Amino acid sequence: MTRCMLARPLLASLLLLALAGVASAYEKGPGGFVVTGRVYCDPCRAGFETNVSKNIGGATVAVDCRPFNGGDSKLKAEATTDQYGWYKIDIDQDHQEEICEVLLARSPDPACSEIEEFRDRARVPLTRNNGLKQQGTRYANPIAFFRKEPLKDCGGILQAYDLKDAPETP
Ligand SMILES: *[C@@H]1O[C@H](CO)[C@@H](O)[C@H](O)[C@H]1NC(C)=O
């Protein structure tokens, strides 16, 4: 009898605590995003995928979110790609008014580990408050490490993709 009378207020306050926890989670904004994407090797330094591109397993990427108006980054999270070159990063908060990007961090392959400025990242929106109805999974564009020495057949390959440098005109 007494145990029961003691237990009830305890249960009630536990319930209140739990509700308060849920409420504060919503104040920050519902996060619950999964950022996913792929890392590949660009053996021809083409800046796009070719038929000799290969996904890289064991590569490390980082997610970075910076406020629109400058200032320090609000989030730094890292993940490593699986054997197929895919990574997954759980993000537990909304990042409204921030620019979030996935960046290359480390390649497991020394021959294909060059990080090209501006091509080493993919933007990914991490907010539900931008008017877009999107699921919690956010797909970032594939990003690539560049091979230091392009493969021998890259000339022909790029020509086939019709993007070889135009011959110089006199
Ligand atoms: C890639 O494409 C080029 C040009 O079409 C071709 O010569 C080459 O054999 C292809 N390489 C592979 C690995 O498929």
Side-chain angles (χ1 to χ4, degrees):
M1 186 77 177
T2 38
R3 264 179 72 186
C4 195
M5 280 164 72
L6 274 175
R8 270 201 193 169
L10 187 65
L11 268 179
S13 49
L14 278 178
L15 191 66
L16 273 176
L17 273 177
L19 284 174
V22 167
S24 70
Y26 272 93
E27 266 165 36
K28 286 180 204 150
F33 301 108
V34 177
V35 178
T36 185
R38 190 164 46 83
V39 175
Y40 68 96
C41 174
D42 182 351
C44 292
R45 310 175 62 89
F48 54 87
E49 291 188 76
T50 63
N51 65 346
V52 289
S53 305
K54 286 202 167 50
N55 295 339
I56 307 183
T60 309
V61 296
V63 180
D64 186 28
C65 293
R66 283 166 295 120
F68 285 153
N69 51 10
D72 292 339
S73 67
K74 299 277 185 177
L75 169 78
K76 281 255 194 229
E78 279 198 347
T80 303
T81 57
D82 65 14
Q83 58 174 320
Y84 306 107
W86 285 88
Y87 60 84
K88 260 188 185 174
I89 306 173
D90 290 313
I91 307 291
D92 62 6
Q93 280 186 31
D94 202 280
H95 289 270
Q96 199 181 0
E97 296 180 10
E98 287 168 47
I99 296 168
C100 294
E101 293 174 313
V102 183
L103 298 104
L104 296 174
R106 285 180 297 283
S107 169
D109 177 4
C112 197
S113 58
E114 261 192 34
I115 293 179
E116 280 275 310
E117 215 181 346
F118 308 120
R119 281 180 168 170
D120 64 338
R121 53 193 64 208
R123 277 207 191 180
V124 61
L126 293 182
T127 178
R128 287 198 169 77
N129 307 322
N130 60 358
L132 300 175
K133 284 229 158 64
Q134 290 175 319
Q135 293 303 307
T137 300
R138 301 288 160 93
Y139 290 90
N141 285 335
I143 36 178
F145 287 101
F146 281 31
R147 205 184 143 86
K148 287 199 184 89
E149 299 297 329
L151 300 176
K152 275 204 203 74
D153 7 348
C154 281
I157 290 166
L158 291 186
Q159 200 163 34
Y161 283 93
D162 206 17
L163 277 162
K164 203 170 151 56
D165 285 344
E168 279 181 35
T169 44

